[in-house]
Amino acid sequence: MASSSGRRLNINNINPHVRAAKYAVRGELAVKSEEYRASLQTGSSDLPFTQVISANIGNPQQLDQKPLTFFRQVLSILENPALLEKGDVLVNDLGYKPDVLERAERLLKQVGSVGAYSASNGVPAIRQSIADFLERRDGFPANQADIYLSAGASSGVNTLLHIICADEKSGILVPIPQYPLYTASLSVLNATCVPYLLDESKNWGTDLGTIKAAYEKAKAEGTDVRAIVIINPGNPTGASLSEEDIRAVIEFARQERLVILADEVYQTNVFIGEFISFKRMLRQMQKEKPGVYDNVELASLHSVSKGMVGECGHRGGYFELVNFDPAVQAEIYKFVSIMLCAPVIGQCLVELMVNPPKPGEPSYELYKKEYDAIFYGLKERATALHKAFEQMEGVECGTPQGSMYLFPTIKLPPKAAEAAAAEGRTPDEFYCMRLLEATGICVVPGSGFGQKQGTLHFRTTFLAPGTEWVGSMVKFHKEFMDKYR
Amino acid sequence: MASSSGRRLNINNINPHVRAAKYAVRGELAVKSEEYRASLQTGSSDLPFTQVISANIGNPQQLDQKPLTFFRQVLSILENPALLEKGDVLVNDLGYKPDVLERAERLLKQVGSVGAYSASNGVPAIRQSIADFLERRDGFPANQADIYLSAGASSGVNTLLHIICADEKSGILVPIPQYPLYTASLSVLNATCVPYLLDESKNWGTDLGTIKAAYEKAKAEGTDVRAIVIINPGNPTGASLSEEDIRAVIEFARQERLVILADEVYQTNVFIGEFISFKRMLRQMQKEKPGVYDNVELASLHSVSKGMVGECGHRGGYFELVNFDPAVQAEIYKFVSIMLCAPVIGQCLVELMVNPPKPGEPSYELYKKEYDAIFYGLKERATALHKAFEQMEGVECGTPQGSMYLFPTIKLPPKAAEAAAAEGRTPDEFYCMRLLEATGICVVPGSGFGQKQGTLHFRTTFLAPGTEWVGSMVKFHKEFMDKYR
């Protein structure tokens, strides 16, 4: 009895669409940075830096950001409801305010055990709380039946793309640069990504002429373009869209019958102006011209991972469907049922996010203080980083507007491009790899998000504490430019 | 400006593979049972029962099962690490044992914040703890690099099927009856389900002749059969496989070069004999005949949702890969990266499950007491339900062996089949619908899992507390049989 030859699965016969997918945020650079981190922890490294700065991923609590106290106190009770029997100890000895206990008690009543599956689309009372939040935010009604809890926004995007894409001809307009979840998911689904460039000269806003041209080109090639993705505030760009841009996209979606996928997970990370939701603008336009926009389908996504909440590890999020066909919603319900439900403690965190302590409530003061400190801390670091970029030769970057990222252009000397080619890398990859090796700072090359032909960028978060690392980036850049000049 | 006609998405143009997927566990009966529950809560219903018994889904904590105290105490600290600063209060006033604090402290050191993303495949130290558990369980080494944390086992199955299925010709052998996750996921992937019948006469064991016949038939039809799914202990059948059956499957997988997907989420729910893992048998066979089985690829899945843990809502799980090609594993890593990571608090719960308090440790006694009470409670209710089935005319059911389910055969009179046809239902659906309407007991018809042509079954959990509902099922059955005799 001899062994049949070889394993069944190898790189050449597994799902080619998975193989084709690219996801640079956790790619080679990220893996290498983790190796460096492990090496530094052993204490025996001879690396030219003493710590790794993970500026490659929007993971606030891995860095400086502390969880909001009210949220975590409530969650601690949800995990151990027996604590409620010792309410006096919680209040007198552990500093829990009465509204923490009340909220936990209410959620437990609504949820049952956080260890039980919820309804496939989420706990009904949590969906209602989200609907209430959306009404307050937008000034238009929201229906809990149109809300679907998800394991972070990524899982929501996965669901929506699964429903929308019928075959390989199905096309989705995706902004470039983009968060690579979109292109990776479309690869796996074997559907068509229809890229449209954002306008760097307008602080990475949407340009309708560019979108139309991309749409027409794809249509001429036989692509059945079905939806348009908008990431607002932008990832990786940090852009924050104007009302005018949003209206233009909605009008275009109406004309061409495109579903709008509005990735709005950075809605509280806005430094200039205010966040305007697609839902609010769509309802506003429906009100202004009754009947005209009633068939414009919008799915809007949000998450506990970003903003001042920053609870990525809890995998909480939701999406709201607007103007969708009920029969299509029933298929979405069935699809999410196959994975049973979103993590229930994450669902509870969504509830806390959309319904935080109000002025006058016992936990409000601390909540507000913590929230503001995070907000202004992010803004301050964004500004410091932006100032550093202004000093760096060949680096250009618009004023920080929102999200957690800056996405500067870098102009590198021809010699650097040659050295990169010799290593089989793109120049931006080459630059980011040298940066990591020299300073321990991990950023993501622009090619991981897509960028206009002939341009180079990188994405950095501004989450890492301190400013020392910004200084070492400036120093590295000067040496790099001098070396390859 | 007129509205463009109609919405973009309708039931006829969305992804046909999602539309084709069936997932009865949360289908029409489940939805109706929730409507009844809501109606009962208003207090104004005229239903002929006073409560809904959700015996359709293995959701222990929705019913009687209480979370294990040690686990939830640790989780409460992970959610609010500030509690560790008040260790004396936790111990003296809240009854937390010192090992609860120690475990929480250690996990926090390993994990960082549970609000941060972990590595895509899970927290390294948690993977190591799982590897240690597998070594203890099986007596063979396990490598943390081969372990992938997942959002419950369902998400792990989704990952593995995505990798294995390359196109619509890719076939997976799936037991019938089966948990519909498999057929639903294969529908969505547009790959081929190759059903093989389990042998009801052998207490739902695997029959190699039947498997071979299904395999050969599919091969002859041009299907590229790549893997075989085994659910052990069985869902919905409750079967527990013998060493002989497991060896036969491994040998067959070797001969035909099939990947084995071993769904072992009910591994602690075994009432007769002991659980034998596929990993242990594969390593044993590799040891007995060196070199012969080294290319047999096995993926084994486990979860915190079932067993005495019963923490479905936390969406925790993992899979271990054995004998996989490293290049294929790298693609799996990339695939799971797109969804970032499994819920981190769920990962911690996996760690607690595989590494519970040991004899002599402060929390052991209570843990053991709670664990045993759940185990024997399940066994007792399974026996009571089985006894009830023995009294019911035309109902046959093997002795409960494991998992959380019984899957009796029901033989219904021809008149019942006629009445079902008149409603456009299969006879088992008809029976289950009448049962729900008459008693509030929700079970799942056998057709939701697949069953041998000409046979009828239903699946019921034995999680619901009390025995009153069992009595009302017996009463309903008698009336049903009398009516349609």
Side-chain angles (χ1 to χ4, degrees):
Chain A
M1 189 162 69
S3 168
S4 301
S5 62
R7 298 182 177 100
R8 182 50 180 259
L9 301 179
N10 61 58
I11 192 72
N12 295 312
N13 71 3
I14 59 166
N15 187 338
H17 310 303
V18 170
R19 198 180 158 191
K22 289 191 189 346
Y23 192 75
V25 176
R26 295 196 158 197
E28 186 193 356
L29 278 147
V31 170
K32 191 155 192 178
S33 77
E34 289 307 322
E35 287 166 11
Y36 285 159
R37 192 191 307 277
S39 166
L40 288 168
Q41 272 169 359
T42 66
S44 66
S45 100
D46 52 359
L47 293 167
F49 47 84
T50 54
Q51 62 170 327
V52 167
I53 303 283
S54 299
N56 57 314
I57 188 158
N59 193 5
Q61 294 186 19
Q62 185 196 30
L63 298 165
D64 197 29
Q65 194 166 314
K66 295 277 168 299
L68 295 162
T69 300
F70 175 78
F71 291 6
R72 291 301 198 88
Q73 287 178 337
V74 173
L75 296 189
S76 70
I77 299 175
L78 299 183
E79 287 293 5
N80 188 13
L83 289 174
L84 281 176
E85 292 157 25
K86 303 276 186 172
D88 54 331
V89 177
L90 296 183
V91 172
N92 300 328
D93 302 317
L94 299 175
Y96 284 41
K97 306 278 187 197
D99 54 345
V100 171
L101 279 65
E102 284 161 27
R103 181 67 65 91
E105 204 155 15
R106 192 206 307 164
L107 276 167
L108 283 168
K109 213 174 150 191
Q110 294 166 339
V111 170
S113 170
V114 295
Y117 294 127
S118 73
S120 306
N121 51 348
V123 175
I126 294 178
R127 282 185 274 127
Q128 186 56 54
S129 184
I130 296 167
D132 296 343
F133 155 73
L134 292 170
E135 281 197 40
R136 289 192 304 272
R137 188 193 69 181
D138 296 328
F140 291 98
N143 184 347
Q144 57 82 21
D146 297 324
I147 291 162
Y148 298 74
L149 276 295
S150 61
S154 298
S155 164
V157 168
N158 180 58
T159 296
L160 293 163
L161 293 180
H162 260 90
I163 297 291
I164 297 172
C165 299
D167 55 36
E168 65 271 26
K169 283 198 179 308
S170 301
I172 310 284
L173 281 155
V174 173
I176 296 297
Q178 53 110 28
Y179 176 57
L181 164 67
Y182 294 95
T183 41
S185 302
L186 289 170
S187 279
V188 171
L189 272 164
N190 193 26
T192 301
C193 175
V194 181
Y196 68 90
L197 287 170
L198 297 171
D199 188 350
E200 187 164 9
S201 72
K202 290 202 316 180
N203 235 329
W204 297 110
T206 47
D207 178 76
L208 205 68
T210 311
I211 294 176
K212 271 187 182 162
Y215 171 77
E216 294 297 344
K217 180 166 170 281
K219 215 170 126 182
E221 288 164 3
T223 301
D224 171 25
V225 186
R226 293 174 161 226
I228 179 167
V229 172
I230 303 278
I231 310 175
N232 179 45
N235 178 3
T237 65
S240 177
L241 292 187
S242 67
E243 177 174 330
E244 193 190 347
D245 281 353
I246 294 172
R247 280 181 177 265
V249 169
I250 293 173
E251 176 54 29
F252 176 69
R254 184 195 69 79
Q255 284 168 18
E256 306 299 345
R257 295 178 65 230
L258 297 175
V259 179
I260 301 170
L261 297 180
D263 178 338
E264 301 180 324
V265 301
Y266 295 98
Q267 60 188 263
T268 59
N269 296 99
V270 176
F271 306 133
I272 295 181
E274 55 154 1
F275 166 73
I276 302 165
S277 74
F278 267 80
K279 165 85 179 291
R280 183 178 134 200
M281 285 322 304
L282 175 54
R283 290 297 193 219
Q284 183 63 38
M285 289 164 80
Q286 284 184 272
K287 196 172 154 186
E288 288 164 7
K289 298 193 176 168
V292 174
Y293 296 95
D294 294 359
N295 288 324
V296 176
E297 293 142 286
L298 164 69
S300 158
L301 299 117
H302 196 15
S303 158
V304 300
S305 298
K306 310 301 171 183
M308 277 35 81
V309 183
E311 295 275 9
C312 311
H314 275 101
R315 313 307 300 121
Y318 72 86
F319 57 89
E320 183 194 18
L321 301 180
V322 183
N323 296 337
F324 268 62
D325 184 330
V328 172
Q329 290 197 207
E331 292 295 313
I332 292 174
Y333 183 89
K334 182 183 71 184
F335 182 81
V336 298
S337 293
I338 301 172
M339 291 293 123
L340 298 158
C341 67
V344 176
I345 200 88
Q347 294 187 36
C348 295
L349 200 40
V350 172
E351 202 285 327
L352 297 169
M353 173 180 76
V354 300
N355 186 22
K358 293 179 191 58
E361 290 175 356
S363 293
Y364 178 73
E365 203 181 333
L366 179 63
Y367 167 79
K368 177 86 170 103
K369 194 179 139 203
E370 292 175 341
Y371 188 97
D372 287 350
I374 295 170
F375 182 84
Y376 290 107
L378 285 171
K379 191 171 174 176
E380 205 173 284
R381 275 176 272 157
T383 309
L385 197 56
H386 182 251
K387 270 200 185 135
F389 290 152
E390 284 184 327
Q391 297 169 32
M392 283 157 66
E393 178 192 352
V395 174
E396 278 170 42
C397 185
T399 311
Q401 292 183 289
S403 85
M404 298 179 166
Y405 312 105
L406 293 181
F407 194 66
T409 293
I410 43 174
K411 294 204 176 82
L412 300 180
K415 264 202 203 166
E418 285 160 29
E423 269 188 27
R425 294 186 193 280
T426 59
D428 53 347
E429 272 172 14
F430 179 79
Y431 177 87
C432 294
M433 189 56 87
R434 293 296 94 79
L435 174 68
L436 174 62
E437 289 166 356
T439 65
I441 301 168
C442 186
V443 298
V444 186
S447 47
F449 306 95
Q451 52 198 348
K452 195 173 175 175
Q453 188 97 37
T455 68
L456 299 171
H457 303 78
F458 63 85
R459 186 190 81 168
T460 176
T461 71
F462 38 80
L463 295 166
T467 51
E468 205 185 315
W469 65 280
V470 178
S472 66
M473 191 187 266
V474 174
K475 181 166 167 282
F476 158 81
H477 184 77
K478 189 174 180 314
E479 289 167 4
F480 182 93
M481 295 301 274
D482 286 345
K483 182 168 178 186
Y484 294 102
R485 199 180 307 278
Chain B
M1 190 162 67
S3 168
S4 299
S5 62
R7 297 182 176 100
R8 183 49 180 263
L9 301 180
N10 62 58
I11 193 70
N12 295 312
N13 71 2
I14 59 165
N15 188 336
H17 310 303
V18 170
R19 199 181 158 190
K22 290 195 189 340
Y23 191 75
V25 177
R26 295 196 158 198
E28 185 192 357
L29 278 147
V31 170
K32 191 155 191 178
S33 77
E34 289 307 323
E35 286 166 11
Y36 284 159
R37 192 190 307 276
S39 168
L40 288 168
Q41 272 169 358
T42 65
S44 65
S45 99
D46 51 0
L47 294 167
F49 47 85
T50 55
Q51 61 169 329
V52 167
I53 303 283
S54 299
N56 58 312
I57 188 158
N59 192 5
Q61 294 186 20
Q62 185 197 31
L63 299 165
D64 197 28
Q65 195 167 312
K66 295 276 170 298
L68 295 162
T69 300
F70 175 79
F71 291 7
R72 291 302 197 89
Q73 286 177 338
V74 173
L75 296 189
S76 70
I77 299 175
L78 299 182
E79 287 292 5
N80 188 14
L83 290 174
L84 281 175
E85 292 157 26
K86 304 275 185 173
D88 54 330
V89 177
L90 296 183
V91 172
N92 300 328
D93 302 315
L94 298 175
Y96 284 42
K97 306 276 186 198
D99 53 346
V100 171
L101 279 64
E102 283 160 26
R103 181 68 66 91
E105 204 155 14
R106 192 206 307 165
L107 276 167
L108 282 169
K109 214 174 149 190
Q110 294 166 338
V111 169
S113 170
V114 296
Y117 294 126
S118 73
S120 306
N121 51 349
V123 175
I126 293 178
R127 282 186 275 125
Q128 186 56 55
S129 184
I130 296 168
D132 295 343
F133 155 72
L134 292 170
E135 282 198 37
R136 289 192 304 272
R137 188 193 69 182
D138 296 328
F140 291 98
N143 183 347
Q144 57 83 20
D146 297 325
I147 291 162
Y148 297 75
L149 275 296
S150 61
S154 298
S155 164
V157 168
N158 181 57
T159 296
L160 292 162
L161 292 179
H162 260 90
I163 296 291
I164 296 172
C165 298
D167 55 37
E168 65 272 26
K169 282 198 179 308
S170 300
I172 310 284
L173 280 156
V174 173
I176 297 297
Q178 51 110 27
Y179 176 57
L181 164 67
Y182 294 94
T183 41
S185 302
L186 289 170
S187 279
V188 172
L189 271 164
N190 193 26
T192 301
C193 176
V194 181
Y196 68 91
L197 287 171
L198 297 171
D199 188 350
E200 187 164 9
S201 73
K202 292 202 315 182
N203 234 332
W204 296 110
T206 47
D207 178 77
L208 207 68
T210 310
I211 295 176
K212 272 187 181 162
Y215 171 78
E216 294 298 345
K217 179 165 172 281
K219 216 172 125 181
E221 289 165 1
T223 301
D224 172 24
V225 186
R226 294 174 161 227
I228 179 166
V229 172
I230 303 278
I231 309 175
N232 179 45
N235 177 3
T237 66
S240 177
L241 291 187
S242 67
E243 178 174 331
E244 192 190 348
D245 280 356
I246 294 172
R247 281 184 178 263
V249 169
I250 294 173
E251 176 54 29
F252 176 69
R254 184 195 68 79
Q255 285 168 17
E256 305 299 346
R257 297 178 65 228
L258 297 175
V259 179
I260 300 170
L261 298 180
D263 177 338
E264 302 180 323
V265 300
Y266 295 98
Q267 59 188 263
T268 58
N269 296 99
V270 176
F271 306 133
I272 295 182
E274 56 154 0
F275 167 73
I276 301 164
S277 74
F278 267 81
K279 165 84 180 291
R280 183 178 133 201
M281 283 324 302
L282 175 55
R283 288 297 193 220
Q284 184 62 38
M285 289 164 80
Q286 285 184 271
K287 196 173 155 187
E288 287 164 8
K289 299 197 174 165
V292 175
Y293 296 95
D294 294 0
N295 288 325
V296 176
E297 294 142 286
L298 165 69
S300 158
L301 299 117
H302 196 16
S303 157
V304 299
S305 299
K306 310 301 170 183
M308 277 34 83
V309 183
E311 295 275 9
C312 312
H314 275 101
R315 314 308 299 119
Y318 72 87
F319 57 88
E320 184 194 17
L321 300 180
V322 183
N323 296 337
F324 267 62
D325 183 330
V328 172
Q329 290 196 207
E331 293 295 314
I332 293 174
Y333 183 90
K334 181 182 72 183
F335 182 81
V336 299
S337 293
I338 301 172
M339 291 293 123
L340 298 158
C341 66
V344 176
I345 200 87
Q347 295 186 37
C348 295
L349 200 42
V350 172
E351 203 284 327
L352 297 169
M353 174 179 75
V354 300
N355 186 21
K358 291 177 192 59
E361 291 177 354
S363 293
Y364 178 75
E365 202 181 334
L366 179 62
Y367 167 78
K368 178 84 171 107
K369 194 179 139 203
E370 292 175 340
Y371 188 97
D372 287 349
I374 294 169
F375 182 84
Y376 291 108
L378 285 171
K379 192 171 172 178
E380 204 172 286
R381 274 176 273 158
T383 309
L385 197 55
H386 181 251
K387 272 202 185 136
F389 290 152
E390 285 185 327
Q391 297 169 34
M392 283 157 67
E393 177 192 351
V395 174
E396 277 170 42
C397 184
T399 311
Q401 292 184 288
S403 84
M404 298 179 168
Y405 312 105
L406 293 181
F407 194 66
T409 292
I410 43 175
K411 294 202 175 84
L412 301 179
K415 264 202 201 165
E418 285 160 30
E423 268 188 25
R425 295 187 193 280
T426 60
D428 54 345
E429 271 172 15
F430 179 79
Y431 177 87
C432 295
M433 187 56 87
R434 293 296 94 79
L435 174 68
L436 175 62
E437 288 165 356
T439 64
I441 301 169
C442 186
V443 299
V444 187
S447 47
F449 307 94
Q451 52 198 349
K452 195 172 172 176
Q453 189 98 35
T455 68
L456 300 171
H457 303 78
F458 63 85
R459 185 189 81 168
T460 176
T461 71
F462 38 80
L463 296 165
T467 50
E468 205 185 315
W469 65 280
V470 178
S472 65
M473 190 187 266
V474 174
K475 181 165 169 281
F476 158 79
H477 184 77
K478 187 172 181 317
E479 288 167 3
F480 181 94
M481 295 301 274
D482 287 344
K483 182 167 178 187
Y484 293 102
R485 198 179 309 276

